[in-house]
Amino acid sequence: MNILSSPNLRIIEIDLDHTSYQSGHIPSAIFWSRLNTTNESDFRVQFDRLKLEHLMGKSGITKDTTIVIYSGSFAGASFLFWYLKIWGHEDVKILNGSRQKWMAEGRELTVEIPKITASTYTASEPNFNWRVSLVEVQKAINHSQYVLVDARTVQEYNGEWFWFTDQPAQEGERSGHIPGAVHIGFELALNDDATFKSREELSLLYSSKGVTSEKEIITYCTVGARSSFTWFVLKYLLGYPHVRNYDGSWNEWGRLPNSAIEI
């Protein structure tokens, strides 16, 4: 039997819209839009248990299902991984190289939408130890035990851009970075073919900036997606024991009138 059609496997392509999915996706993969699943319209993360259970059920997922996630944007997959881990789903994996490597290798794509048999899914209580609140980030500033890792572009870190692209801050928005945060763009952990760099390369990348395993590490970006990628690398590929993701990120921090900011 083709492993892609295994009843105990669910492949999910996640992105902000379904353009790529409709143009061709991995056989048997279903599509989830971030704005209808993990995020509200303002990009804040939603933690509605009933919505999650409904989504998992209509996707034919049970507690024993192996979930494999990929995306056109690398951070989309890691964000869903982080989100599902909060809800206690054990068997979740990220496709190394994501959509980019799959296509580069000339692997099969299809436009066929798979037929799904609905299931009943009961989520665990959310484990919010995977995330960091605004108050905790404020307490971590200038604390020697903590390292804040900014996973955005250098333009965002330096205050040139507020958002993902060359958009300066508008009314009610402030640009820059959290005081003391080190800048390590999330994509620096990737090879040219979108696969993860070796453990040795990753260890050097982060330790050279003082991001070491004995520290309490907080990752952040704009809406918590790119920082979830860095969180995944540090926690799962390097085995750092104390890593959490600030999902409020700059979407929250940069809109507060009195938040501490460096440029």
Side-chain angles (χ1 to χ4, degrees):
M1 181 179 67
N2 186 337
I3 191 173
L4 295 179
S5 59
S6 170
N8 200 43
L9 174 68
R10 181 65 66 233
I11 304 172
I12 301 173
E13 178 172 328
I14 186 164
D15 221 320
L16 294 177
D17 64 61
H18 55 359
T19 303
S20 293
Y21 180 81
Q22 289 182 327
S23 69
H25 52 267
I26 295 175
S28 80
I30 61 173
F31 178 77
W32 283 7
S33 167
R34 277 179 54 196
L35 292 182
N36 294 321
T37 53
T38 59
N39 295 86
E40 304 288 0
S41 59
D42 63 358
F43 286 98
R44 294 180 185 274
V45 184
Q46 64 88 1
F47 292 104
D48 187 314
R49 181 171 178 168
L50 292 180
K51 286 184 179 179
L52 174 80
E53 291 176 338
H54 174 72
L55 176 65
M56 299 288 259
K58 77 174 186 178
S59 300
I61 297 171
T62 71
K63 295 287 281 188
D64 297 324
T65 300
T66 298
I67 298 176
V68 176
I69 312 165
Y70 76 97
S71 178
S73 61
F74 311 114
S78 59
F79 189 77
L80 181 55
F81 180 98
W82 171 82
Y83 186 77
L84 292 177
K85 283 297 185 181
I86 284 179
W87 288 107
H89 196 89
E90 292 292 335
D91 197 356
V92 189
K93 305 178 188 301
I94 292 175
L95 180 64
N96 193 14
S98 211
R99 183 183 179 92
Q100 179 178 324
K101 185 170 176 60
W102 185 275
M103 294 181 66
E105 293 179 345
R107 296 182 181 272
E108 181 183 0
L109 295 173
T110 182
V111 294
E112 181 179 352
I113 307 299
K115 295 180 174 61
I116 303 296
T117 301
S119 64
T120 299
Y121 190 93
T122 302
S124 303
E125 287 297 320
N127 178 7
F128 289 128
N129 290 329
W130 300 99
R131 66 193 296 248
V132 180
S133 69
L134 170 68
V135 172
E136 290 176 287
V137 176
Q138 290 171 329
K139 291 179 179 178
I141 294 175
N142 297 323
H143 194 299
S144 61
Q145 185 56 31
Y146 288 82
V147 179
L148 289 156
V149 181
D150 189 316
R152 300 175 299 165
T153 63
V154 67
Q155 292 91 343
E156 290 169 283
Y157 180 80
N158 289 337
E160 299 169 51
W161 300 350
F162 176 80
W163 210 240
F164 305 95
T165 56
D166 56 347
Q167 176 181 321
Q170 306 297 315
E171 184 177 355
E173 300 172 345
R174 300 160 69 216
S175 299
H177 59 266
I178 298 174
V182 297
H183 177 256
I184 308 176
F186 84 100
E187 74 285 353
L188 295 177
L190 291 170
N191 294 307
D192 291 341
D193 66 354
T195 58
F196 294 106
K197 290 182 177 177
S198 69
R199 182 182 179 88
E200 292 73 21
E201 289 174 303
L202 293 173
S203 180
L204 178 60
L205 171 66
Y206 293 101
S207 63
S208 66
K209 293 291 187 75
V211 184
T212 51
S213 60
E214 78 279 5
K215 297 287 188 177
E216 294 277 349
I217 300 166
I218 296 173
T219 62
Y220 78 92
C221 57
T222 303
V223 295
R226 289 174 288 178
S227 54
S228 73
F229 184 94
T230 300
W231 167 87
F232 175 84
V233 170
L234 292 172
K235 185 172 182 64
Y236 286 91
L237 301 188
L238 291 179
Y240 282 26
H242 309 295
V243 191
R244 292 180 293 163
N245 185 31
Y246 173 34
D247 56 273
S249 280
W250 209 256
N251 190 35
E252 177 176 61
W253 195 272
R255 299 180 194 279
L256 297 173
N258 299 314
S259 58
I261 290 176
E262 285 183 346
I263 297 177

